[in-house]
């Protein structure tokens, strides 16, 4: 289930994005970015519709996915 990012409390959204960018394997290319830059990048992807927040009822978890990965 896709959750509109606008419906999430701003502090919760920031925590969710920070958790996402801290995960091992999150790659931002050759250049090193600060945490703030990574968070801003994900926020821009959410605002632009490139990324979405997904809630899995089966796993009772929340994740951020690229829309193209979902086929949506």
């Amino acid at each position: 289930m896709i959750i509109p990012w606008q419906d999430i409390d701003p502090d919760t959204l920031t925590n969710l994005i920070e958790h996402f960018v801290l995960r091992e394997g999150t790659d931002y290319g050759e250049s090193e970015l600060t945490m703030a830059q990574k968070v801003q990048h994900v926020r821009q992807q959410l605002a632009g519709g490139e990324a979405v927040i997904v809630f899995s009822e089966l796993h009772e978890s929340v994740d951020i996915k690229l829309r193209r990965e979902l086929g949506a």
Side-chain angles (χ1 to χ4, degrees), residues 1 4-5 24-25 37 40-41 46 55-56 62 65-66:
M1 168 188 316
W5 63 270
E24 187 175 341
Q37 289 171 316
Q40 183 61 30
H41 185 252
L46 288 168
F55 174 71
S56 169
V62 177
K65 300 279 187 185
L66 291 175

Side-chain angles (χ1 to χ4, degrees), residues 33-47:
L33 300 176
T34 66
M35 172 63 86
Q37 289 171 316
K38 291 176 183 179
V39 168
Q40 183 61 30
H41 185 252
V42 174
R43 281 187 190 277
Q44 289 171 341
Q45 288 181 312
L46 288 168

